[in-house]
Amino acid sequence: MANPIFAPLRLLGRILKKTNLTFWILIALPIGIGIGAAWPKFGKQLKTFSDVFLHMIKCLVTPLIFSTLYVGIVGHEGDLKSVGRLAIKALVYFEVVSTFALAFGLIMGNIVKPGKGASIVGVSLAGFPTNGPITWQDYILDIFPTSFFQAASENKVLQVVFCAIMFSTAALKIPKENRDTMTEFLKNLADIMFKVTGYVMCFAPVGIVCITAYSVGTFGLKVLVSLGKLVLTCYATLLLFIFLVLVPILLISKVRLLPFLKCIHQPMILAFTTASSESALPIALRNLEAFGIPKSIVSFVLPTGYSFNLDGSTLYLSLAALFCAQASDVHLTASQQVVLMLTLMLSSKGIAAVPRASIIVLYAAVESFKIPKETVALILGADVFMDMARTCTNLTGNCVASVVIARWEGAYPPYGEFTGRWEGKDFRVNQSKEQSESIETSTQETAPNAQLTHPNSA
């Protein structure tokens, strides 16, 4: 007979077998916070391991974007007219939603006034990154790379997208039999990179423990007390934006909310815990494609949105700019706030998908409006906690954009059935008017997009 002493261990083993990656990511977050708060010096030393995880993720971005976008355009027999139409629709959507995000930040900043009572006495700019003001010429030039390999090595997502579109466009102009070899190669590359993504994600809980331990150990939880009003306002405003803007957009587009949330919840959690949009990009691409969005759309809209549709970052920038003005007793008139919104609308484009890149843009914005630059340094410590929320919102907004533009293109039916690979298993989603459910069907090993079928896919 089995020893009863080991019964609890066997029960624990059976429970753990039923867990998934999301469970371990959620467990990793409080563990990292606890380590950073209890042993801050040890938490700081874990930065190396957090960087290991982020480096592994970043090395997946370029081959995934290039291969999936090429296969989406050429492999599915796309044409130049459809690519141009998709780009115009995406840019229109991005600008409209980004304007809403900026307006939300300004409205909440004027209502709550999180900067009132904050003091910049004794705040130093020593060691603070003080890049010069960014001009519109810089944004234009940042779209076009001088070298594809430089863009790939620096993870310039928008430049990689530009190269992929140009390469795919040229491929469409040659006979099909001449491009078949390249198409097959890049299709296999995409399948392999999705498999590599699965391997890298096994390290995600460890990476998240190290990232959160380092952040809390470096900045401490006490900064949340001194700047708690700003942090709470930021989180509340981002939540209001999601529920009052993004959710109605999904409902108007007739997208079932629960299946969609189940599809994107894992990349959302990953974006929140790592404060890096790049870390969630590979898994978001895979899940959205499995959800039924054509590869030609998701592989174009999602990476492009990382430069043009940063809803969380734009909202945060307008809120933080008002905080800086209020903390330094600088009164901004309504017309000045409109100019500020337009300035941030331009300067928020092209923000790198890396942690705390918004600080540089904020610094340039307050400098333009003669606001003391020490106010930006004041919020630097709390920025790491707000960065988690705005990065998660960025990712959510781009996932919403992908499914909405797919609906706009008529490539994602509101009702019907499709199947795909998700979290290592085949699944089927039946979106009828009466019900929407996810049913696991089989666990046979196939490529992430090999089983993808829905009425409008190629």
Side-chain angles (χ1 to χ4, degrees):
M1 296 180 61
N3 192 329
I5 297 178
F6 297 103
L9 295 177
R10 290 195 296 270
L11 177 61
L12 179 62
R14 288 196 294 268
I15 294 174
L16 293 179
K17 286 181 179 180
K18 296 181 180 180
T19 61
N20 55 22
L21 182 62
T22 304
F23 170 81
W24 291 110
I25 290 176
L26 291 174
I27 291 295
L29 184 60
I31 292 176
I33 294 174
I35 292 174
W39 305 287
K41 290 184 178 179
F42 177 69
K44 293 178 183 179
Q45 295 175 354
L46 295 178
K47 184 178 188 299
T48 300
F49 299 99
S50 68
D51 289 343
V52 167
F53 172 65
L54 293 177
H55 287 183
M56 288 193 297
I57 286 292
K58 288 179 179 180
C59 75
L60 302 173
V61 172
T62 295
L64 260 180
I65 291 177
F66 191 89
S67 59
T68 54
L69 187 53
Y70 175 90
V71 174
I73 295 175
V74 176
H76 289 270
E77 299 303 324
D79 55 54
L80 300 181
K81 184 178 179 180
S82 64
V83 174
R85 184 179 67 247
L86 180 64
I88 293 174
K89 290 181 178 179
L91 290 176
V92 169
Y93 176 90
F94 293 160
E95 290 307 316
V96 171
V97 177
S98 295
T99 303
F100 274 108
L102 286 168
F104 262 74
L106 288 177
I107 292 172
M108 289 296 291
N110 283 291
I111 293 175
V112 180
K113 300 186 185 304
K116 286 295 183 182
S119 174
I120 60 174
V121 177
V123 177
S124 174
L125 288 172
F128 189 81
T130 56
N131 290 26
I134 305 173
T135 64
W136 65 269
Q137 292 95 333
D138 295 327
Y139 296 112
I140 297 297
L141 289 175
D142 197 52
I143 299 175
F144 306 97
T146 56
S147 167
F148 169 77
F149 298 101
Q150 181 181 357
S153 64
E154 296 178 357
N155 270 351
K156 297 281 189 177
V157 175
L158 189 58
Q159 294 183 2
V160 173
V161 170
F162 173 79
C163 291
I165 293 175
M166 293 295 290
F167 190 77
S168 305
T169 301
L172 285 171
K173 292 298 184 179
I174 66 174
K176 182 178 181 301
E177 58 272 13
N178 292 350
R179 65 172 183 259
D180 282 346
T181 302
M182 179 60 68
T183 301
E184 189 65 23
F185 167 75
L186 290 175
K187 182 179 183 301
N188 292 332
L189 176 63
D191 293 344
I192 292 172
M193 294 311 299
F194 276 119
K195 182 63 69 175
V196 175
T197 298
Y199 296 149
V200 172
M201 292 308 299
C202 294
F203 187 69
V206 177
I208 289 167
V209 167
C210 297
I211 290 170
T212 52
Y214 166 74
S215 299
V216 175
T218 302
F219 299 101
L221 293 175
K222 61 182 180 180
V223 73
L224 295 178
V225 177
S226 59
L227 293 174
K229 190 175 182 181
L230 173 62
V231 175
L232 290 176
T233 303
C234 178
Y235 273 73
T237 308
L238 290 171
L239 286 174
L240 284 174
F241 173 77
I242 291 174
F243 286 107
L244 297 182
V245 176
L246 297 184
V247 170
I249 288 175
L250 288 172
L251 293 176
I252 293 172
S253 302
K254 299 181 180 179
V255 177
R256 305 292 290 185
L257 295 181
L258 290 181
F260 180 72
L261 179 61
K262 189 173 182 180
C263 171
I264 68 169
H265 79 282
Q266 196 176 79
M268 283 177 63
I269 294 172
L270 191 61
F272 180 83
T273 51
T274 62
S276 172
S277 298
E278 284 182 342
S279 65
L281 177 58
I283 192 170
L285 283 170
R286 183 191 67 183
N287 285 9
L288 288 172
E289 186 181 338
F291 188 63
I293 302 175
K295 182 182 296 184
S296 59
I297 293 178
V298 68
S299 58
F300 178 85
V301 175
L302 198 60
T304 306
Y306 272 34
S307 291
F308 290 99
N309 188 44
L310 298 174
D311 299 330
S313 294
T314 52
L315 186 153
Y316 164 80
L317 285 171
S318 60
L319 178 64
L322 280 186
F323 170 87
C324 293
Q326 294 162 1
S328 54
D329 290 327
V330 175
H331 177 68
L332 295 178
T333 64
S335 60
Q336 287 177 315
Q337 291 189 29
V338 171
V339 175
L340 174 64
M341 186 173 74
L342 295 175
T343 302
L344 292 174
M345 185 181 297
L346 173 63
S347 58
S348 62
K349 309 305 179 187
I351 295 177
V354 296
R356 290 168 293 286
S358 299
I359 283 292
I360 304 300
V361 176
L362 178 62
Y363 185 91
V366 299
E367 191 174 34
S368 302
F369 285 83
K370 309 302 180 183
I371 299 172
K373 296 179 284 294
E374 288 80 5
T375 53
V376 181
L378 176 66
I379 66 177
L380 186 60
D383 182 70
V384 62
F385 301 102
M386 293 183 286
D387 196 17
M388 299 165 71
R390 66 176 181 257
T391 302
C392 180
T393 306
N394 290 341
L395 186 278
T396 305
N398 285 317
C399 290
V400 171
S402 298
V403 70
V404 169
I405 293 174
R407 164 77 74 252
W408 199 354
E409 284 281 286
Y412 176 72
Y415 311 112
E417 184 175 293
F418 48 85
T419 63
R421 292 282 294 174
W422 186 21
E423 293 191 349
K425 297 179 180 179
D426 291 335
F427 75 97
R428 183 175 72 253
V429 176
N430 183 12
Q431 288 193 233
S432 63
K433 292 185 178 181
E434 294 78 19
Q435 62 180 356
S436 177
E437 60 182 358
S438 295
I439 306 171
E440 295 180 357
T441 55
S442 67
T443 58
Q444 59 181 352
E445 287 297 322
T446 56
N449 57 356
Q451 296 294 322
L452 177 64
T453 59
H454 66 88
N456 291 310
S457 65

